[in-house]
């Protein structure tokens, strides 16, 4: 039996999240999108409500909640503004969760209370200009010098890059390939660490995406996270979890498209009747509605497996693949249903389309998700 019912606590948190976001984010998102920056005060406000620390133990400032509640919160964030959703999922989901799982007690005490409260932000520095999908071959190098590590290299497309207080940075400390990669915590004020914001993105314009340059950046031995040479494994573990977060955010996009089209099509009339009364408009609504349910169920399934300690990586890939493609499809249909009004920024659906588009690209492109699912089904890797 699969139990699809939500607990009273889960429903209550979802309601709290929706009310908060409808008040604090929805009225501002178009302006934040135009000026390419959210009002960063929203970050601490989200921290106060517990968005960052939902699944983090109370000892580190979190709420100690479950992954379904986390998915519900991320769905609400995705419904409200994906740019804001990404700030949360990268800071805590990718950076904070690696510190929680593999960091020393000192590292946890130094960074987690700040990240869970939203008073500090983390970023996740894996992608480099020449290694995106092939991240295991990254070139940034960390070399031991006495009691320190000295890091040289560059990163690109790093969410929260210019706002973060700390970067969970992946650098090569050993042999070529994934087994030579280690993870480090690099504070943003480390000398030689330059961060440049990438402007002019298609979507997620309210969040800061940056390129990072490291020139002889010196960090103490204690900046190494977990074991030397295990960094790539940590990155892949956190991306498996991150894919559930992205999928949940995409469910929010699909849901937002559904609500927008249902609302608009019942109000707008053509040929003397509401758009909603035309069969071909209902066809679009039905497509979006079914995809919302399917994406949500795949996402909750992956989250439930994670929650119960079972293998969840392939389920996370399936959820991310389906939900991200569904988000792009739903936003495209929403623009179609709005007609010309869908194409201008007075209405929300063009932003949903622009924000949805990156979802099939980051945290593993759709092609990479298919390779992961294909490998799980066949036992044969088609990566190389
Ligand atoms: P490439 O790897 O060059 O891929 C190009 C195309 O080739 C894609 O269609 C891909 O699917 C296809 N391809 C590649 N290899 C194969 C293969 N073996 N088989 C079939 N097809 C293949 N990275 C971070 O580290 N941290 C972040 O916070 C972060 N945030 C991001 C935010 C934004 C807005 C964006 C756009 C990117 C972000 N990224 C981040 C980077 C993102 O994860 C990469 O862009 C993504 O992994 C793809 O890498 P790439 O862009 O180099 O494309």
């Amino acid at each position: 039996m699969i139990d699809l019912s939500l607990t009273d606590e889960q429903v209550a948190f979802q309601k709290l999240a929706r009310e908060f976001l409808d008040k604090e984010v929805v009225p501002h998102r178009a302006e934040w999108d135009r000026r390419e920056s959210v009002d960063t005060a929203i970050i601490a406000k989200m921290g106060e409500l517990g968005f960052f620390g939902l699944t983090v133990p109370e000892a580190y400032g979190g709420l100690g909640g479950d992954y379904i509640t986390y998915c519900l919160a991320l769905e609400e964030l995705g419904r409200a503004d994906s740019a804001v959703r990404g700030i949360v999922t990268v800071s805590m989901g990718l950076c904070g969760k690696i510190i929680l799982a593999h960091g020393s007690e000192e590292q946890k005490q130094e960074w987690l209370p700040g990240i869970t409260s939203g008073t500090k932000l983390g970023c996740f520095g894996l992608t480099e200009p020449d290694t995106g999908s092939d991240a295991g071959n990254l070139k940034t190098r960390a070399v031991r010098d006495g009691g320190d590590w000295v890091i040289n290299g560059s990163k690109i497309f790093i969410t929260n890059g210019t706002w973060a207080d700390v970067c969970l940075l992946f650098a090569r400390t050993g042999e070529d390939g994934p087994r030579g990669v280690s993870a480090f915590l690099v504070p943003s004020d480390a000398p030689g660490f330059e961060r440049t914001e990438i402007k002019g993105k298609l979507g997620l314009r309210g969040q800061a995406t940056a390129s990072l340059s490291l020139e002889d950046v010196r960090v103490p031995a204690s900046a190494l996270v977990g074991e030397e040479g295990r960094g790539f494994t940590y990155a892949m573990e956190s991306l498996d979890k991150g894919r559930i977060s992205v999928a949940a955010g995409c469910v929010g996009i699909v849901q937002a498209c559904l609500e927008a089209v249902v609302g608009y099509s019942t109000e707008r009339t053509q040929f003397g009747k509401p758009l909603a009364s035309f069969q071909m408009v209902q066809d679009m609504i039905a497509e979006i509605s079914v995809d919302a349910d399917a994406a949500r169920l795949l996402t909750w399934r992956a989250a439930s497996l994670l929650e119960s300690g079972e293998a969840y990586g392939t389920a996370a890939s399936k959820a991310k693949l389906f939900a991200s493609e569904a988000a792009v499809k739903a936003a495209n249909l929403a623009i179609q249903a709005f007609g010309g009004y869908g194409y201008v920024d007075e209405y929300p659906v063009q932003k949903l389309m622009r924000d949805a588009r990156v979802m099939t690209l980051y945290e593993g492109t759709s092609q990479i998700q298919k390779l992961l699912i294909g490998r799980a089904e066949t036992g044969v890797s088609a990566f190389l």
Side-chain angles (χ1 to χ4, degrees):
M1 276 287 279
I2 300 174
D3 184 2
L4 299 175
S5 56
L6 297 174
T7 64
D8 291 347
E9 290 78 21
Q10 288 166 339
V11 172
F13 194 86
Q14 183 177 30
K15 186 166 173 284
L16 185 75
R18 181 172 289 211
E19 284 168 3
F20 169 82
L21 294 165
D22 278 348
K23 181 164 165 266
E24 301 284 348
V25 169
V26 171
H28 308 291
R29 63 188 175 192
E31 169 58 18
W32 295 345
D33 181 65
R34 276 187 215 114
R35 75 170 193 214
E36 294 193 60
S37 175
V38 300
D39 176 352
T40 50
I42 190 65
I43 297 170
K45 285 186 191 172
M46 289 193 296
E48 278 169 28
L49 212 69
F51 276 108
F52 286 91
L54 257 171
T55 58
V56 175
E58 289 169 21
Y60 302 110
L63 298 183
D66 63 277
Y67 272 89
I68 295 291
T69 308
Y70 187 54
C71 287
L72 294 171
L74 293 176
E75 176 177 335
E76 292 308 320
L77 279 161
R79 175 182 170 274
D81 187 349
S82 293
V84 177
R85 194 272 309 155
I87 296 170
V88 175
T89 49
V90 171
S91 186
M92 178 41 84
L94 294 184
C95 174
K97 286 289 171 62
I98 291 187
I99 301 174
L100 183 63
H102 302 291
S104 63
E105 194 50 40
E106 197 186 349
Q107 289 168 336
K108 290 181 196 176
Q109 294 297 347
E110 182 175 5
W111 294 110
L112 289 180
I115 292 177
T116 51
S117 63
T119 52
K120 286 204 162 62
L121 272 188
C123 69
F124 178 84
L126 180 66
T127 304
E128 299 186 356
D130 294 331
T131 52
S133 301
D134 188 15
N137 277 317
L138 59 83
K139 303 284 185 299
T140 293
R141 188 166 277 282
V143 177
R144 199 65 197 255
D145 181 28
D148 294 339
W149 289 96
V150 178
I151 310 176
N152 280 283
S154 57
K155 300 286 171 181
I156 196 159
F157 302 136
I158 306 305
T159 304
N160 294 343
T162 44
W163 293 343
D165 299 279
V166 65
C167 180
L168 197 290
L169 185 107
F170 298 90
R172 185 162 303 287
T173 53
E175 62 188 84
D176 288 349
R179 279 198 286 260
V181 175
S182 300
F184 295 90
L185 284 169
V186 182
S188 55
D189 57 1
F193 188 20
E194 297 289 332
R195 304 172 300 159
T196 310
E197 192 160 336
I198 300 168
K199 289 286 188 185
K201 299 196 299 282
L202 178 68
L204 303 187
R205 290 161 65 90
Q207 61 178 226
T209 308
S211 56
L212 312 178
S213 150
L214 298 102
E215 206 178 319
D216 291 333
V217 172
R218 193 169 277 275
V219 291
S222 59
L224 178 74
V225 178
E227 286 174 47
E228 190 182 336
R230 297 273 298 155
F232 191 73
T233 308
Y234 302 158
M236 293 304 110
E237 273 173 24
S238 72
L239 285 173
D240 277 347
K241 290 195 185 82
R243 284 166 191 153
I244 301 176
S245 310
V246 172
C250 290
V251 174
I253 294 178
V254 182
Q255 182 64 33
C257 291
L258 180 62
E259 290 171 22
V261 176
V262 169
Y264 185 78
S265 65
T266 45
E267 280 163 19
R268 170 122 176 126
T269 56
Q270 289 293 288
F271 302 97
K273 291 197 281 190
L275 295 181
S277 66
F278 299 120
Q279 289 184 354
M280 278 188 267
V281 173
Q282 288 205 7
D283 177 277
M284 292 191 248
I285 291 170
E287 290 275 339
I288 299 172
S289 176
V290 173
D291 279 358
D293 281 356
R296 191 177 285 116
L297 290 174
L298 282 172
T299 304
W300 287 5
R301 177 168 166 265
S304 300
L305 290 171
L306 169 59
E307 189 67 38
S308 59
E310 292 171 67
Y312 62 90
T314 306
S317 285
K318 288 181 184 177
K320 198 265 180 183
L321 172 65
F322 185 86
S324 62
E325 296 287 345
V328 175
K329 179 180 147 193
N332 197 28
L333 283 171
I335 290 178
Q336 195 65 24
F338 270 65
Y341 297 95
Y343 202 67
V344 293
D345 80 349
E346 191 187 339
Y347 290 89
V349 289
Q350 50 74 37
K351 179 176 180 307
L352 288 167
M353 178 78 215
R354 291 187 289 102
D355 288 347
R357 193 60 195 83
V358 77
M359 306 299 170
T360 68
L361 297 175
Y362 67 11
E363 302 208 17
T365 65
S366 287
Q367 288 73 31
I368 295 298
Q369 304 311 325
K370 286 178 182 169
L371 293 178
L372 291 168
I373 297 162
R375 184 177 66 184
E377 292 290 354
T378 64
V380 179
S381 171
F383 279 82
L384 299 172

